[in-house]
């Protein structure tokens, strides 16, 4: 699958969402959902802020999209999705997932593949640096371990 310049522009918007989450005391994972190359929903990890274990960045973004068909949408997420988020993306049959990075967390790309969801991993240095920097703080690393069920 071809990496287009606009993929990096939409990833910048997902990174903005991740930065908003950090500012709120949450985890640095953001997502945007697009249709026809226009953003239709945004979200970021709100697990800590709302004390809700399922509000990962992708889940928050899908919640904000509301009751819509996802078949013709593309999601941009700063981090490779966990099994819960990959399952939701597969269940609702998004047309493409663009991943910021899977260096700091490999995620569950196997689940995406099982559902037939195509994905692009940008290995975006902005996303890598954001997560590495945030996780370098011991208290944040503890939050991260809780986010992935450890």
């Amino acid at each position: 699958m071809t990496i287009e310049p606009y993929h990096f522009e939409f990833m910048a918007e997902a990174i903005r969402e991740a930065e908003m989450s950090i500012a709120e005391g949450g985890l640095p994972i953001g997502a945007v959902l697009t249709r026809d190359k226009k953003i239709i929903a945004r979200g970021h990890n709100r697990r800590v802020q709302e004390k809700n274990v399922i509000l990962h960045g992708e889940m928050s973004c899908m919640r904000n999209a509301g009751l819509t068909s996802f078949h013709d949408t593309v999601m941009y997420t700063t981090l490779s999705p966990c099994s819960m988020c990959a399952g939701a993306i597969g269940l609702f049959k998004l047309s493409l997932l663009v991943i910021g990075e899977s260096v700091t967390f490999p995620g569950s790309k196997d689940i995406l593949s099982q559902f037939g969801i195509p994905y692009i991993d940008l290995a975006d240095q902005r996303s890598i640096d954001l997560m590495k920097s945030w996780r370098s703080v011991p208290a944040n690393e503890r939050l991260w371990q809780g986010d992935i069920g450890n």
Side-chain angles (χ1 to χ4, degrees):
M1 196 156 276
T2 305
I3 297 175
E4 301 290 347
Y6 67 85
H7 290 314
F8 290 97
E9 294 168 19
F10 286 124
M11 189 56 62
E13 293 298 317
I15 290 168
R16 281 185 193 65
E17 288 292 322
E19 291 168 339
M20 287 174 57
S21 185
I22 293 170
E24 297 169 353
L27 285 85
I29 303 153
V32 295
L33 188 68
T34 67
R35 179 178 284 127
D36 299 324
K37 297 186 180 88
K38 293 181 180 78
I39 295 174
I40 61 168
R42 298 170 171 272
H44 52 269
N45 187 299
R46 297 196 49 81
R47 185 179 69 89
V48 171
Q49 298 92 313
E50 294 191 29
K51 296 175 179 46
N52 184 324
V53 298
I54 66 167
L55 282 181
H56 288 194
E58 301 89 342
M59 301 295 275
S60 176
C61 185
M62 292 176 79
R63 176 184 75 167
N64 292 339
L67 297 175
T68 187
S69 170
F70 291 92
H71 298 170
D72 60 346
T73 63
V74 176
M75 181 180 282
Y76 294 80
T77 181
T78 57
L79 187 66
S80 188
C82 70
S83 56
M84 174 181 66
C85 295
I89 289 164
L91 177 67
F92 292 104
K93 299 175 180 55
L94 278 70
S95 65
L96 175 66
L97 180 68
V98 181
I99 299 166
E101 64 105 348
S102 60
V103 172
T104 65
F105 179 67
S108 296
K109 294 183 211 142
D110 58 324
I111 293 173
L112 297 172
S113 296
Q114 287 173 9
F115 277 102
I117 304 296
Y119 63 85
I120 298 171
D121 188 336
L122 296 178
D124 183 81
Q125 196 62 48
R126 301 168 300 178
S127 296
I128 296 167
D129 292 346
L130 182 67
M131 191 61 155
K132 281 185 175 180
S133 172
W134 184 83
R135 283 183 65 188
S136 71
V137 175
N140 291 345
E141 181 61 22
R142 284 190 296 279
L143 280 177
W144 167 247
Q145 292 302 316
D147 204 60
I148 57 172
N150 290 340

